[in-house]
């Protein structure tokens, strides 16, 4: 069934959360926060050479960072940080401006490497440090999709968004997968990929322990420098 789009929102500062019978979350929030800080603080120091090289490489063609509004826990908007991987005016180009599909010509040569290794996501460690995100949690979505499909995305807005998740590993090369569907890529994304991701994240939140978070973080780190399947 195709999710029904919502015509608009009364309060642009906070998106409504559709939360019927929310499932329990196994790992307490304070434990996840301690894990986040224990990993992020030394992680930023250890990764500083990688961050510096990436920043210099991106700066050769324009601004270093890409900032975008995403919807966080409780429907609260926040600004997510990434290394810029596209041309500066990417938002005005392309057939699917809200998605990156296959060999998108808007992606720069440096950006392709950053995306393949997921190094472009590393600035989000700052979002984790600020408490806007967790290391493990559902990926935060842009307002465009959350506003149009509140019943779909509202199922996970009670969870703090994360840098990685089970769904992130399953859809490690989501862009390549979507490229198979051409003009139908956005429909496949909304009708198939998003519902599956949400189910994976809800099941993980219900069943996973803090040790599972540690394992998932380690798996993500190992996958960073592996080629997409």
């Amino acid at each position: 069934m195709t999710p029904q789009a919502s015509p608009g929102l009364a309060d642009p500062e906070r998106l409504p959360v559709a939360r019927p019978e929310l499932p329990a979350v196994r790992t307490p929030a304070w434990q996840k926060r301690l894990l986040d800080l224990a990993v992020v603080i030394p992680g930023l120091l250890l990764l500083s050479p990688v961050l510096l090289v990436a920043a210099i490489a991106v700066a050769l063609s324009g601004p270093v960072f890409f900032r975008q509004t995403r919807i966080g826990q409780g429907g609260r908007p926040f600004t997510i940080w990434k290394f810029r991987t596209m041309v500066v005016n990417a938002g005005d180009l392309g057939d699917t401006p809200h998605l990156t599909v296959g060999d998108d010509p808007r992606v720069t040569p440096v950006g392709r490497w950053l995306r393949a290794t997921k190094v472009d996501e590393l600035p989000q460690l700052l979002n984790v440090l600020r408490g806007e995100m967790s290391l493990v949690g559902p990926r935060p979505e842009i307002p465009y999709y959350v506003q149009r499909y509140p019943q779909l995305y509202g199922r996970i807005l009670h969870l703090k968004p994360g840098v990685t998740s089970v769904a992130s590993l399953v859809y490690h090369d989501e862009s390549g997968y979507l490229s198979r569907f051409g003009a139908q890529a956005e429909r496949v994304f909304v009708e198939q990929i998003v519902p599956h991701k949400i189910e994976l994240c809800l099941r993980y939140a219900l069943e996973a322990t803090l040790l599972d978070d540690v394992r998932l973080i380690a798996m993500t780190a190992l996958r960073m420098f592996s080629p997409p399947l």
Side-chain angles (χ1 to χ4, degrees):
M1 179 181 296
T2 303
Q4 296 299 309
S6 172
L9 296 171
D11 182 4
E13 297 300 321
R14 182 167 176 168
L15 299 188
V17 184
R19 301 187 296 179
E21 300 181 6
L22 292 181
V25 177
R26 182 168 182 178
T27 304
W30 67 268
Q31 290 185 12
K32 290 181 71 73
R33 184 59 179 161
L34 286 179
L35 176 62
D36 288 344
L37 295 176
V39 173
V40 168
I41 293 174
L44 283 171
L45 295 175
L46 291 172
L47 291 169
S48 57
V50 177
L51 295 170
L52 179 60
V53 170
I56 293 173
V58 176
L60 295 176
S61 64
V64 172
F65 295 108
F66 169 73
R67 291 173 292 179
Q68 187 180 53
T69 298
R70 297 291 179 96
I71 303 304
Q73 190 174 31
R76 298 180 184 88
F78 71 98
T79 300
I80 199 171
W81 290 74
K82 295 185 178 187
F83 283 123
R84 181 179 58 83
T85 60
M86 290 188 171
V87 295
V88 175
N89 60 336
D92 301 324
L93 306 173
D95 297 327
T96 55
H98 302 293
L99 291 175
T100 305
V101 179
D103 294 325
D104 194 315
R106 298 174 299 170
V107 179
T108 66
V110 171
R112 295 192 189 284
W113 176 79
L114 292 175
R115 283 174 174 263
T117 58
K118 304 301 182 184
V119 169
D120 64 315
E121 309 283 0
L122 289 180
Q124 288 161 48
L125 296 180
L126 296 175
N127 290 114
V128 176
L129 198 61
R130 289 164 54 93
E132 297 161 331
M133 296 176 65
S134 181
L135 285 172
V136 177
R139 292 293 296 160
E141 193 52 86
I142 60 174
Y144 172 82
Y145 287 115
V146 180
Q147 179 175 350
R148 287 176 61 85
Y149 307 104
Q151 296 298 319
L152 183 61
Y153 285 97
R155 298 182 62 202
I156 55 171
L157 289 183
H158 64 291
L159 300 172
K160 182 176 286 190
V163 177
T164 189
S165 66
V166 171
S168 298
L169 295 181
V170 171
Y171 291 96
H172 181 68
D173 187 26
E174 179 181 297
S175 174
Y177 176 73
L178 286 173
S179 67
R180 307 175 191 176
F181 301 96
Q184 300 299 314
E186 188 167 26
R187 180 183 63 80
V188 172
F189 174 74
V190 172
E191 295 182 12
Q192 297 181 23
I193 293 180
V194 172
H196 187 214
K197 282 183 172 182
I198 289 174
E199 290 300 329
L200 289 173
C201 289
L202 288 174
R203 190 184 316 153
Y204 183 88
L206 179 63
E207 301 174 355
T209 65
L210 198 65
L211 183 57
D212 291 319
D213 277 9
V214 173
R215 293 193 185 102
L216 190 57
I217 293 167
M219 291 172 63
T220 300
L222 290 174
R223 286 293 296 270
M224 279 185 64
F225 296 99
S226 65
L229 297 177

